[in-house]
């Protein structure tokens, strides 16, 4: 862990004497106070001692002055014997003054003795203080030793570091140096980045700082890196030391070495990883930050020249020198540098193989998953080529189809034109024969001619229906909203029903479809309904609509002959008929046309019926908004 | 060819021509029908060229009945030339075709055909259609170019 804070304070032990232990600090202060008091008293005593001395000096000075005055008086006596009478008085006075002064000297002497007594008392007091002081000093030293013992045991047992509030290392113990393989000189003044293993995410580091900066103790396991690059794990407790403002001014990190345990744990993880990764078909290798193999799974051995044991610890570029300069070399370096996942899919010329690789960086190096994708690439290439070929073919086929369509159209036309003409001629000449030679023909002759006209007519219809069927299949659908009521009316108008049925419909739902094609559908279904109900006494045809699941369903129901549901699947086939021509005329193309149109609209057509109970034809169309 | 041509029928198929003429005659629509067998002949006739060199081209038919599919020059080409020439461009042209599948029908209208008829297979219908168109163009239509 890294502590970066700074404070220009002495080291831990000094600071501790000053501040750490509350119990010690208080008697210490007391001692200091008592010292001061003592000194103050002593000074007072000296001053008191000096006072009587001054008084003595003054007395001495007064005595000298008196002596001088005596001499002066003797001289004046000699000089002034004449004025003896006057002076005698003055002399007596002076003597009296002298006696007064002596009296004062006695008084001063008494005072002096008193002061000396006081001084003695003070000295006695000072001696008492000194004894107390000694006692206190002893206790303080005892405590200091205790602290020092604690520190010693901590130093011995733990890896210790102290940083300032900015994390700058101020103190490390021997254990710290031993595990980190840095010297004290190398460490002090640095922060903990010097031993950062990059193993932990930045979130983790941030969390440590948030905790301790808030004055809380942080505990956890940290992976560090020694000077020689070897990783070591420490169980760490970081204690922030707070100043009077409750702000940390230094951090004490107490660590213990848990590398062995961690290694054991990692070993287990490694084993587990190995077991799992040996099962997968991808090659998996790991290299450390110095590009040395730390792991190879079974599958990876296929692309490695030597055994796993021989390869582990080798530098990847020594094992695969041919990789240098390839995109793999570039990308591996990119992953190592950016610590971001890198994916590669490239042809690896030295092995004539396509590889797909995913490179996962971690603090410990890189783990690379890779696989041989040559087969897939070949397939892709083939698919690509096939696609290109296919596109070309599609284009060709489209052209062919277009030309075939044109051919088909011209074929249809010529079929229509060329088949219709002779059929028309047959019908025409047979009719003309009958017209011009009726009188010369007997009934059988006339019947034979009528067979010719009937069959040629049928053939004409067949040709027309077939052409319609093929034309509607080709016709481009152009959708619009259709009013089905209108359309039904128009369809009915185009049909001439002999036995006029009752036709019921109202409010049919609109639909989006091709109008001309829908008209074909409706006309076909209605003409069928009319045809197959024509033999009923009261033919009724109903047309209804309903909306269901996004579809609009139409039904055309008649009360005619119906049909056997067993043959329902044959209804919509071309030329498929469920009734003979004698019963009901028809070519069998109508419903095939209906189905074709509905299917081309994405719809569905079906029918329900019972013999002699009528038929219902349904068709559904998707509702388009 | 001194008599006025009432109907010019251009039809390569003998049977269709015969039936058409029969229908026209039977309904007394026209007495003067000129039947030509292909497009080239029709153009020569109309413009007084080739076989018909020297023919008075001012004697125009009241209606031209053109089969669409013919050898050499098709009905469509004939129509195009008729419409492109000032002397013939106003003559009514009725196009006959064997089926409605003919992709050239649209072109006929674009070129200014007056009518377009699908020849019915059924003879009675055929007779009816031909006589109706004949009646319309020969007997009722007021030709503007005279």
């Amino acid at each position: 862990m890294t502590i970066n804070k700074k404070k220009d304070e002495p080291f831990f032990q000094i600071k501790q004497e000053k501040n750490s232990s509350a119990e010690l600090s208080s008697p210490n202060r007391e001692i200091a106070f008592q010292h001061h008091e003592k000194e103050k008293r002593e000074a007072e005593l000296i001053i008191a001692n000096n006072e009587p001395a001054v008084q003595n000096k003054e007395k001495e000075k007064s005595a000298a002055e008196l002596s001088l005055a005596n001499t002066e008086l003797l001289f004046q006596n000699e000089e002034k014997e004449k004025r003896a009478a006057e002076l005698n008085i003055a002399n007596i006075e002076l003597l009296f003054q002298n006696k007064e002064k002596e009296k004062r000297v006695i008084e001063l002497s008494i005072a002096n003795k008193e002061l000396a007594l006081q001084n003695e008392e003070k000295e006695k007091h000072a001696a008492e203080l000194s004894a107390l002081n000694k006692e206190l000093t002893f206790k303080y030293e005892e405590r200091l030793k205790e602290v020092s013992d604690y520190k010693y045991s901590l130093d011995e047992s733990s890896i210790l570091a102290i940083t300032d509030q900015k994390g700058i290392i101020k103190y490390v113990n021997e254990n710290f140096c031993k595990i980190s393989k840095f010297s004290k000189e190398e460490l002090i003044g640095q922060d903990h980045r010097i031993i950062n293993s990059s193993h932990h995410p930045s979130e983790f580091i941030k969390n440590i700082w948030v905790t301790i900066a808030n004055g809380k103790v942080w505990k956890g396991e940290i992976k560090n890196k020694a000077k020689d690059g070897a990783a070591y794990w420490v169980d760490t407790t970081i204690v922030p030391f707070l100043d009077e403002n409750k702000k940390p001014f230094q951090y004490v990190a107490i660590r213990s070495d848990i590398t062995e345990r961690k290694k054991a744990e990692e070993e287990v993880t490694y084993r587990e990883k190995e077991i799992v990764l040996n099962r997968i078909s991808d090659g998996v290798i790991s290299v450390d930050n110095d590009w040395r193999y730390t792991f190879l799974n079974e599958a990876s051995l296929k692309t490695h020249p030597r055994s796993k044991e021989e390869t582990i610890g080798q530098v990847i570029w020594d094992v695969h020198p041919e990789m240098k300069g390839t995109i793999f070399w570039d990308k591996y370096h990119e992953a190592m540098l950016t610590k971001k996942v890198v994916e590669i899919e490239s042809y690896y010329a030295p092995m004539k193989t396509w590889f797909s690789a995913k490179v996962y960086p971690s603090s410990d190096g890189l783990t690379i998953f890779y696989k041989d994708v040559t087969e897939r690439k070949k397939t892709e290439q083939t698919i690509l080529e096939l696609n290109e070929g296919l596109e070309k073919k599609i284009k060709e086929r489209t052209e062919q189809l277009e030309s075939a369509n044109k051919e088909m159209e011209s074929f249809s036309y010529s079929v229509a034109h060329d088949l219709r003409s002779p059929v028309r001629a047959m019908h025409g000449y047979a009719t003309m024969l009958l017209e011009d030679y009726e009188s010369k023909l007997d009934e059988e002759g006339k019947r034979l001619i009528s067979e010719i006209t009937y069959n040629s007519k049928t053939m004409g219809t067949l040709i027309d229906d077939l052409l319609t069927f093929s034309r509607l299949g080709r016709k481009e659908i152009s959708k619009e909203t259709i009013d089905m009521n209108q359309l039904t009316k128009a369809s009915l108008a185009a049909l001439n029903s002999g036995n006029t049925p009752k036709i019921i419909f109202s409010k049919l739902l609109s639909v989006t479809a091709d109008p001309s094609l829908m008209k074909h559908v409706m006309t076909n279904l209605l003409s069928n309904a009319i045809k197959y109900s024509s033999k009923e006494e009261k033919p009724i045809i109903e047309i209804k609509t309903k909306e269901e699941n996004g579809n609009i369903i139409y039904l055309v129901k008649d009360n005619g002959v119906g049909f056997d549901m067993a043959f329902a699947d044959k209804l919509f086939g071309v030329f498929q008929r469920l009734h003979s021509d004698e019963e009901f005329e028809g070519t069998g193309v109508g419903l095939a046309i209906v189905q074709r149109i509905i299917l081309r609209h994405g719809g569905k057509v079906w029918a329900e019926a019972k013999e002699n109970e009528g038929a219902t034809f349904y068709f559904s169309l998707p509702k388009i908004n | 060819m001194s008599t006025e041509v009432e109907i010019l029928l251009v039809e390569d198929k003998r049977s269709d021509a015969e039936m058409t003429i029969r229908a026209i005659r039977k309904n007394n629509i026209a007495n003067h029908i000129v039947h030509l067998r292909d497009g080239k002949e029709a153009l020569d006739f109309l413009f007084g060229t080739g076989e018909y060199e020297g023919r008075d081209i001012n004697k125009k038919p009241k209606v031209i009945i053109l089969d669409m599919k013919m050898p050499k020059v098709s009905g469509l080409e004939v129509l195009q030339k008729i419409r492109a020439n000032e002397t013939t461009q106003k003559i009514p042209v009725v196009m006959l075709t064997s089926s409605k599948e003919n992709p050239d029908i649209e072109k006929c209208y674009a070129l200014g055909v007056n009518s377009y008829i699908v020849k019915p297979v059924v003879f009675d219908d055929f007779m009816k259609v031909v006589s109706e168109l004949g009646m319309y163009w020969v007997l009722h239509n007021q030709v503007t170019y005279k």
Side-chain angles (χ1 to χ4, degrees), chain A residues 574-590:
Chain A
V574 186
F575 298 134
Q576 293 282 355
R577 298 212 63 204
L578 298 184
H579 299 277
S580 73
D581 232 26
E582 270 83 45
E583 281 180 289
F584 297 101
E585 279 187 6
T587 56
V589 181

Side-chain angles (χ1 to χ4, degrees), chain A residues 36 39 44 52 66 169 176 212 249 308 334 354 359-360 370 397 417 426 429 440 452 528 535 537 565 569 616 619:
Chain A
H36 185 68
E39 276 165 14
E44 276 170 11
L66 279 174
I169 300 168
F176 195 108
I212 60 173
F249 65 86
K308 184 177 165 182
E334 184 190 320
W354 276 88
V359 186
Y360 297 92
Y370 65 96
R397 287 282 156 84
H417 190 271
M426 278 161 62
Y429 285 114
K440 293 180 182 172
I452 298 170
N528 275 354
K535 290 175 183 171
E537 239 179 76
M565 278 300 278
D569 58 322
T616 308
F619 65 93

